Amino acid sequence: MTGISTNKGVVNDLTNQFTSSLSDVSFSPKKSFTFSQSSAAAGLKGSLSSLASSISNFESYAASDVKKLAAIHQAIEKAERGKG
C-alpha cells in the first residue's frame, strides 16, 4: 500500500500566508449616501453593499478552507503514526 504523507512546514506556511493575506482583504465604506435619493446614489449603495457582502463571504469561506487544510494534515499525521 502506498503511504500518504504531509509536510507540516508546507501546511503551516500555506496556512499562515493565506490567513495573513485575509487581513488585507477588507472593505468598509466611510460615508453613507442618505443625502441623495437619486438612482445613481441608490445604485452605488447597492454595489457597495454587494461588495462588502462578497468580501465577508470570501473571508468566511477562506477561514473554513484553512481549518479544513489543518484537519486534513492532522488526520494524515495521525494515520501515519498509527502505521508505525
Side-chain angles (χ1 to χ4, degrees):
M1 176 191 268
T2 302
I4 297 174
S5 64
T6 183
N7 183 316
K8 186 172 188 160
V10 171
V11 171
N12 287 340
D13 187 46
L14 179 61
T15 299
N16 290 336
Q17 286 182 30
F18 206 92
T19 307
S20 67
S21 69
L22 286 177
S23 65
D24 295 333
V25 180
S26 63
F27 177 76
S28 178
K30 303 289 185 198
K31 301 274 184 185
S32 72
F33 294 91
T34 56
F35 61 86
S36 176
Q37 298 301 318
S38 74
S39 58
L44 182 57
K45 279 186 202 180
S47 294
L48 293 176
S49 176
S50 178
L51 178 60
S53 177
S54 295
I55 290 172
S56 178
N57 285 340
F58 172 77
E59 290 172 327
S60 176
Y61 297 147
S64 176
D65 287 348
V66 166
K67 287 178 185 175
K68 289 175 187 175
L69 175 62
I72 291 168
H73 168 71
Q74 290 169 356
I76 291 171
E77 280 189 326
K78 183 177 179 182
E80 288 298 310
R81 282 194 303 269
K83 289 183 179 181

